[in-house]
Amino acid sequence: MTSAIRHVTIHSSDSYALGTFWSQVLGQPLHEDDKPGDEEALIEGAGILFVTVPDAESRRSRLHLDLQPQDRTREEEVERLLELGATLVADRRRPDGTGWAVLADPEGNEFCVERSAGERAAG
């Protein structure tokens, strides 16, 4: 037998607040048992677990997520995420439509937004 990834774990200073941000980004709820102040918060449908750790441990994440919009363009998704509280870290989008945008969540964890499947299919 082999191992399977059960969760992608992200360290944070407030697991519930960060989990709530990502819940809104992904349109998937936090686990029904998660409450403000809990040390862990889980987006079960996405397999993402947020764990509260001491400040010194949460400064730099060794992990990031690559997002692919499902029902909008990359640009529309970047705008939506900025409105939710993300910040643009680096713009790797190219004039020909390829590339990606590097954003950070409210605690500074970086993630990328790629083109949607429709945009990829169009060229």
Side-chain angles (χ1 to χ4, degrees), residues 87-100:
T87 56
L88 183 64
V89 174
D91 194 342
R92 307 279 190 233
R93 295 173 281 190
R94 299 182 192 109
D96 67 357
T98 61
W100 61 92

Side-chain angles (χ1 to χ4, degrees), residues 25-118:
V25 168
L26 300 173
Q28 295 188 29
L30 287 175
H31 191 275
E32 62 187 21
D33 294 338
D34 293 335
K35 306 286 184 260
D38 287 351
E39 291 187 9
E40 295 182 353
L42 174 65
I43 302 175
E44 197 164 22
I48 302 175
L49 177 65
F50 301 90
V51 178
T52 300
V53 298
D55 283 342
E57 292 181 32
S58 66
R59 294 284 182 234
R60 186 79 177 144
S61 177
R62 297 182 141 218
L63 168 73
H64 77 267
L65 305 174
D66 292 327
L67 304 180
Q68 184 180 47
Q70 299 299 297
D71 61 353
R72 58 184 54 102
T73 67
R74 179 187 54 210
E75 276 62 35
E76 291 168 334
E77 183 67 351
V78 167
E79 288 304 313
R80 184 179 81 89
L81 299 175
L82 293 172
E83 289 173 8
L84 287 174
T87 56
L88 183 64
V89 174
D91 194 342
R92 307 279 190 233
R93 295 173 281 190
R94 299 182 192 109
D96 67 357
T98 61
W100 61 92
V102 181
L103 282 74
D105 67 22
E107 289 196 8
N109 298 299
E110 293 181 3
F111 60 98
C112 297
V113 181
E114 300 176 348
R115 294 181 297 163
S116 68

